[in-house]
């Protein structure tokens, strides 16, 4: 048996009044997902414990079966792994966004989804002006970057910028969580303030303003941590795996999980991503790997933008441009392929950030008797075979190590 997880990041939502109190999943035209649902077993999965940050790093590690209370060290270290940054035990790694601040408030978490080419030039400037032997910026994709601070203390209270659009930035600067982290917090907040002066006249931002785009006029640090101790999926389950994602965070989880990271040309993490290329890469990977983790980011970004129509469109793209192809190609394979579909967390358009709602999932095992759920969405799966699960129960259900 081979296994593939199709993860629509942030795909789940809350009922929306303009949709007749339905969710985007309920409204979207998803004939392929629903056809698979008729042959599958469903349930709901608590991916984010109440006492953990509602982040994609926590949720995706939970989907892969990790005890997040034991391995969670923030997303900075995971994205560093994706970028092949070698961390020492003394290194504090953090996510560093390029964001847009307007009239003293955070306008958006992405600097208007700045391009990777533009952001690399800005990161180069930041390294030449703010970098040192103990502090360095590493360029990632679009607005997502990594900052490494030797001897930094991780016990900090940081606010993800996508959680607080419209909030005065001074109200959500980094706070020390203990006396030992006072100096680290002071240094990081100082760098944020210095970045404003450096970036306001940067030629990339001047050009973006001329073109009617949001400038990347501030850096923003969050999700601090040190190197995690994670078993590989080979050690945990006796299988090998591959991960396909446009997002450094997910690739980094794959690195620590001992999975092959497969990059697809044209994968952007947005609605314009190369859906077909990612689907084809996933099917091809099944020839060499037992488990393929196919991550599609677009719905999450639509949720952060509060764009209901775009979120519906991204779900329909997932159905028609990814799921349809995978169903057809895996059905023709000589070896059976189990297929799971789920989000990592909800990103409701109304709140524009992640929530801890249990997410709907389906698991299709060829030849297995399906449950009575006939359509895949947040409400229908309440009557599914698996009920409400948590911890490593999802991955064990997929791999058939667990029965409810």
């Amino acid at each position: 048996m081979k296994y593939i997880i199709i993860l629509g990041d942030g795909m789940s939502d809350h009922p929306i009044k303009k949709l007749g109190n339905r969710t985007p999943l309920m409204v979207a035209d998803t004939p392929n997902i629903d056809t698979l649902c008729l042959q599958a077993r469903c349930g709901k999965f608590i991916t984010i414990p109440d006492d953990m940050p509602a982040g994609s790093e926590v949720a995706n590690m939970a989907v892969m079966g990790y005890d997040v209370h034991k391995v969670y060290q923030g997303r900075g270290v995971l994205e560093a792994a994706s970028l092949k940054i070698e961390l020492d035990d003394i290194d504090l790694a953090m996510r560093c966004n390029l964001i847009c601040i307007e009239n003293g408030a955070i306008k958006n978490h992405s600097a208007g989804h700045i391009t990777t080419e533009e952001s690399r030039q800005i990161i180069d400037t930041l390294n030449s002006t703010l970098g040192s032997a103990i502090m360095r910026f590493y360029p990632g994709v679009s607005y997502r970057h990594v900052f490494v601070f030797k001897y930094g203390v991780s016990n900090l209270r940081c606010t993800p910028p996508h959680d607080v659009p419209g909030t005065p930035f001074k109200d959500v600067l980094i706070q020390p969580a203990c006396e030992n982290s006072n100096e680290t917090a002071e240094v990081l907040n100082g760098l944020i303030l210095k970045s404003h002066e450096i970036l306001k006249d940067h030629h990339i931002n001047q050009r973006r303003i001329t073109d009617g785009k949001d400038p990347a006029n501030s850096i923003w640090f969050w999700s601090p941590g040190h190197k995690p101790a994670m078993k590989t999926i080979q050690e945990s389950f006796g299988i090998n795996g591959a991960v396909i994602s446009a997002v450094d965070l997910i690739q980094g989880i794959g690195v620590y999980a001992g999975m092959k990271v497969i990059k697809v040309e044209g994968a952007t993490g947005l609605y314009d991503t190369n859906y077909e290329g990612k689907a084809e890469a996933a099917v091809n990977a099944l020839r060499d790997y037992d488990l393929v983790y196919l991550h599609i980011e677009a719905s999450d970004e639509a949720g952060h933008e509060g764009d209901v129509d775009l979120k519906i469109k991204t779900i329909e793209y997932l159905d028609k441009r990814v799921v349809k192809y995978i169903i057809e190609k895996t059905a023709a394979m000589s070896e059976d392929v189990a297929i799971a579909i789920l989000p990592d967390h909800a990103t409701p358009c109304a709140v524009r950030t992640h929530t801890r709602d249990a997410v709907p999932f389906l698991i299709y095992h060829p030849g297995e008797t399906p449950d009575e759920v006939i359509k895949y969405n947040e409400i229908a799966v309440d009557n599914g075979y698996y009920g409400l699960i948590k911890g490593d129960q999802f991955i064990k259900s997929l791999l058939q190590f667990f029965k409810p």
Side-chain angles (χ1 to χ4, degrees), residues 85-106:
I85 301 169
E86 294 289 337
L87 295 178
D88 294 325
D89 291 339
I90 61 172
D91 290 339
L92 175 69
M94 303 186 73
R95 171 68 172 273
C96 177
N97 278 41
L98 292 179
I99 70 171
C100 179
I101 291 178
E102 187 174 81
N103 299 322
I106 296 175

Side-chain angles (χ1 to χ4, degrees), residues 19-268:
L19 300 180
N21 288 322
R22 296 175 294 170
T23 68
L25 265 177
M26 297 170 74
V27 171
D29 181 26
T30 55
N32 302 290
I33 295 175
D34 291 335
T35 296
L36 194 65
C37 184
L38 290 170
Q39 306 170 65
R41 293 177 175 181
C42 303
K44 276 192 169 176
F45 180 17
I46 300 172
T47 58
I48 303 173
D50 288 340
D51 59 347
M52 295 293 288
S56 291
E57 66 279 22
V58 173
N60 280 275
M61 285 192 291
V63 173
M64 289 190 186
Y66 287 100
D67 182 338
V68 293
H69 289 104
K70 292 181 177 179
V71 303
Y72 175 72
Q73 279 288 331
R75 63 191 296 159
V77 293
L78 299 171
E79 298 189 9
S82 172
L83 297 174
K84 299 181 179 179
I85 301 169
E86 294 289 337
L87 295 178
D88 294 325
D89 291 339
I90 61 172
D91 290 339
L92 175 69
M94 303 186 73
R95 171 68 172 273
C96 177
N97 278 41
L98 292 179
I99 70 171
C100 179
I101 291 178
E102 187 174 81
N103 299 322
I106 296 175
K107 183 178 182 182
N108 59 56
H109 67 287
S110 63
H113 292 292
I114 189 170
T115 68
T116 299
E117 180 182 351
E118 289 174 318
S119 67
R120 284 179 180 271
Q121 295 182 59
I122 290 176
I123 293 298
D124 285 344
T125 297
L126 291 171
N127 269 322
S128 65
T129 53
L130 300 178
S132 69
I134 64 170
M135 296 187 293
R136 183 170 179 81
F137 298 86
Y138 292 86
V141 176
S142 183
Y143 61 88
R144 311 177 190 96
H145 310 284
V146 171
F147 178 71
V148 177
F149 183 8
K150 288 187 182 297
Y151 310 107
V153 178
S154 63
N155 201 357
L156 303 165
R157 296 190 183 98
C158 303
T159 302
H162 53 260
D163 281 358
V164 287
T167 302
F169 81 89
K170 290 185 178 179
D171 292 350
V172 286
L173 286 169
I174 296 167
Q175 298 292 321
C178 67
E179 188 174 345
N180 288 342
S181 58
N182 283 335
E183 184 178 352
T184 298
E186 184 177 340
V187 169
L188 294 171
N189 287 330
L191 292 174
I192 291 172
L193 296 176
K194 288 176 183 177
S195 77
H196 297 175
E197 292 300 313
I198 293 166
L199 297 180
K200 67 178 182 179
D201 296 322
H202 196 283
H203 70 276
I204 292 293
N205 285 328
Q206 292 300 307
R207 186 172 67 201
R208 287 182 65 81
I209 292 170
T210 299
D211 293 341
K213 300 176 181 178
D214 289 334
N217 56 13
S218 178
I219 55 175
W220 196 261
F221 302 117
W222 57 288
S223 201
H226 295 87
K227 282 199 310 186
M230 293 170 58
K231 287 185 177 181
T232 67
I233 62 167
Q234 183 73 52
E235 292 170 328
S236 296
F237 304 113
I239 60 175
N240 63 11
V243 61
I244 300 168
S245 175
V247 178
D248 287 333
L249 164 66
I250 308 302
Q251 295 173 10
I253 295 174
V255 170
Y256 280 110
M259 303 171 80
K260 170 69 174 179
V261 176
I262 298 173
K263 297 187 178 182
V264 175
E265 186 176 354
T268 65

